[in-house]
Structures are given as structure tokens and as C-alpha cells.
Amino acid sequence: MIIAYDLFGHDNLSFMWPNSVPANLERCPCDDLVLNNEKAVSSDFKIKKKLDVSYTYDGYLIVSERFKEFVQTEKITDVNFYGLPASPGYYLFTAKNILEFDALRRRVKFSKPCEVCNQSLEVIGSSPVCLKQNEVIKRGIFRSDVEFGEKNNKFPIIIIGIDTHSKLMASGMTGIDSHEILDKYDWEK
Ligand SMILES: [Zn+2]
């Protein structure tokens, strides 16, 4: 049974931080893990490939004005759009409502957590998405509690309800890469 969809985007051929992350961000002494990554909006960021939904190489989800209008028309709340001064009409997107990822079921691999920030430098195995809750989600946009990837490039999985998904797919927006989230996968049967 499909309970929701994940929302990925095509690569936009851009880095939020092409060199290194700025020193004014809150970071853990462990290995430059940025702890307030969602606030890491570079005023110099220029999107190289303009899509409605896309990811930077360093794990930031960038959306267009059109996507923002869709979210507002759908009255979806608890999301953030951070303006990108050097890329007018584009935003860094984050979702605030958290869904718990079932790391045990998916057998996610965590590297040894840092003793200071309790984060793993590497978290591998996000796909297919396994959620702890297995009820159908009709509408809304959410994020996973677990962030995947490595070091400063980690990002949560964005999850959308099935009704929101069908409207989004019908909108003709570009760059969307979305997959079914099931309550049970073949390997679990
Ligand atoms: Zn740390």
C-alpha cells in the first residue's frame, strides 16, 4: 500500500558553498558538522540550472516561485522558504513537520556518532523510504527526522501526502523526482 511519496529533485549543477562553509555558522568541533544547516543561505548562491524543484550538490533543496505558490494555494503550513538574494524567484526550502524514519527496518548505516553533537558523519541508506508510522498520509509536506549523506552535505528526506503528490505531479513542474513510500516492501513479505 502506498502511504506517501518522497520528493527528490534533479541536480541543479550548483553548490550552495562551492568552497567551504562560512565560519559564522554554528558548528560542532568534531569535523565541521554544521548544526544549523537550514540557515546556511549563501547570499552569493546562483542557481545554474533553473528547475522548479532541484538539489544542490551539497544537499540543499531549492524550489521556484511556482512551487512556493503551489504550497500556498494548497494551504500547506509548517514549511520555510528562505529567499536567495543572488537567485531571485528561488528559495531554499525546508519542512518543519517531522516523520520518524524507521532506520532499523531499512537497515540504515550510521557511522559512530560524535560525542559532542551526537551526529554521525555518515548516514547511508535512505531509499526506499521506511517510516515508523504506516498510516496513509493524504496531504502536507514533511521531513524525516534522520538526515542522510555525509558531513555537511546531509539532508532530510522530504515526504509528501498522496493527494498533495498527485496535484504536484499534475502541475507540470520541472525537476521533480518522486517515489512511492510503501507500508511494506517486497523484502518484508
Ligand atoms: Zn560533532
Side-chain angles (χ1 to χ4, degrees):
M1 179 176 66
I2 300 169
I3 58 167
Y5 287 82
D6 63 21
L7 178 66
F8 287 89
H10 296 177
D11 288 340
N12 55 28
L13 315 179
S14 321
F15 282 93
M16 182 65 79
W17 304 109
N19 304 311
S20 61
V21 291
N24 62 347
L25 292 176
E26 187 190 337
R27 10 159 139 217
C28 179
C30 60
D31 193 2
D32 288 349
L33 270 177
V34 173
L35 305 177
N36 56 351
N37 220 1
E38 78 285 355
K39 300 224 167 75
V41 179
S42 165
S43 53
D44 299 327
F45 174 74
K46 277 203 180 81
I47 190 163
K48 285 188 182 150
K49 190 173 181 187
K50 294 186 172 177
L51 299 164
D52 291 304
V53 178
S54 65
Y55 268 92
T56 66
Y57 288 133
D58 43 357
Y60 294 89
L61 176 54
I62 309 297
V63 300
S64 65
E65 191 72 46
R66 198 174 163 206
F67 183 90
K68 186 175 179 231
E69 281 165 12
F70 170 83
V71 168
Q72 285 166 344
T73 304
E74 289 299 310
K75 298 188 167 47
I76 293 168
T77 52
D78 293 320
V79 292
N80 294 313
F81 294 91
Y82 298 100
L84 298 163
S87 297
Y90 288 86
Y91 303 87
L92 166 65
F93 177 82
T94 62
K96 287 189 265 189
N97 280 336
I98 293 174
L99 291 172
E100 284 185 279
F101 196 99
D102 196 336
L104 214 58
R105 215 174 116 212
R106 176 57 189 77
R107 295 188 189 151
V108 175
K109 289 197 175 72
F110 295 91
S111 65
K112 189 168 170 276
C114 161
E115 286 173 10
V116 183
C117 67
N118 204 30
Q119 291 197 44
S120 297
L121 283 176
E122 274 187 37
V123 184
I124 308 297
S126 63
S127 179
V129 172
C130 293
L131 298 177
K132 283 190 182 167
Q133 78 87 37
N134 266 329
E135 304 294 312
V136 173
I137 299 167
K138 291 271 190 203
R139 56 186 309 281
I141 305 181
F142 309 82
R143 57 158 285 176
S144 62
D145 56 342
V146 178
E147 296 193 2
F148 295 87
E150 54 183 321
K151 297 188 178 177
N152 288 322
N153 300 346
K154 287 197 294 186
F155 58 91
I157 306 304
I158 299 296
I159 297 145
I160 56 178
I162 54 175
D163 291 352
T164 305
H165 174 265
S166 61
K167 286 181 184 169
L168 183 63
M169 297 313 278
S171 73
M173 275 189 254
T174 56
I176 295 170
D177 185 12
S178 185
H179 315 89
E180 297 169 352
I181 300 175
L182 306 182
D183 61 334
K184 220 180 225 323
Y185 293 93
D186 280 345
W187 84 83
E188 298 178 290
K189 284 172 186 162

